[in-house]
Amino acid sequence: QVQLVESGGGLVQAGASLRLSCVASGRTSSTYIMGWFRQAPGKEREFVSAIRWSGSSTYYADSVKGRFTISRDNAKTTVYLQMNSLKPEDTAVYYCAANNKNRGVLLPSMYDYWGQGTQVTVSS
């Protein structure tokens, strides 16, 4: 089992920045990939970014590329999502997820554990 707790969401104006954190605990040694997804009201959960625990590879959705940066700490217990130049369309609940079977990064079904989510609201 892996437990994930997100934090760092909030209400900001367009153009501002936020940094989300996801603290992982439990059997993190079995985790290959950590991902961030988001879900806006009435929409499906969508991929935002992912990082291999080894830190060797990062992945981004086209909609956030160049604005968001994913990283992890050396202890491999916390994953961050630095979000710059935020837009109103970034408004969503952001979820952290752990992939323990190395099945890929893009689909929610590829991930085994999820956090409770943190709300990000960007006003225009």
Side-chain angles (χ1 to χ4, degrees):
Q1 289 282 344
V2 175
Q3 294 78 42
L4 304 171
V5 179
E6 305 99 330
S7 62
L11 170 62
V12 297
Q13 290 189 331
S17 298
L18 280 174
R19 189 176 81 157
L20 305 183
S21 299
C22 172
V23 178
S25 60
R27 299 186 64 179
T28 58
S29 60
S30 301
T31 299
Y32 287 96
I33 298 166
M34 295 293 295
W36 286 98
F37 287 76
R38 66 187 181 187
Q39 188 166 18
K43 295 188 177 181
E44 293 187 352
R45 193 167 296 189
E46 65 173 0
F47 171 76
V48 175
S49 182
I51 186 169
R52 292 194 174 271
W53 258 146
S54 65
S56 59
S57 298
T58 58
Y59 310 87
Y60 297 95
D62 287 343
S63 58
V64 306
K65 202 171 292 184
R67 299 188 298 123
F68 291 11
T69 303
I70 192 170
S71 62
R72 58 147 180 83
D73 68 340
N74 289 336
K76 297 182 182 179
T77 59
T78 304
V79 176
Y80 305 98
L81 186 68
Q82 178 68 42
M83 305 186 297
N84 298 330
S85 302
L86 282 162
K87 304 175 181 180
E89 50 264 43
D90 294 318
T91 295
V93 177
Y94 283 70
Y95 297 92
C96 176
N99 178 338
N100 282 24
K101 296 184 175 63
N102 200 20
R103 291 171 290 194
V105 301
L106 294 179
L107 300 178
S109 59
M110 295 173 175
Y111 292 77
D112 302 284
Y113 302 99
W114 293 85
Q116 82 288 351
T118 185
Q119 177 71 46
V120 172
T121 303
V122 184
S123 63
S124 59

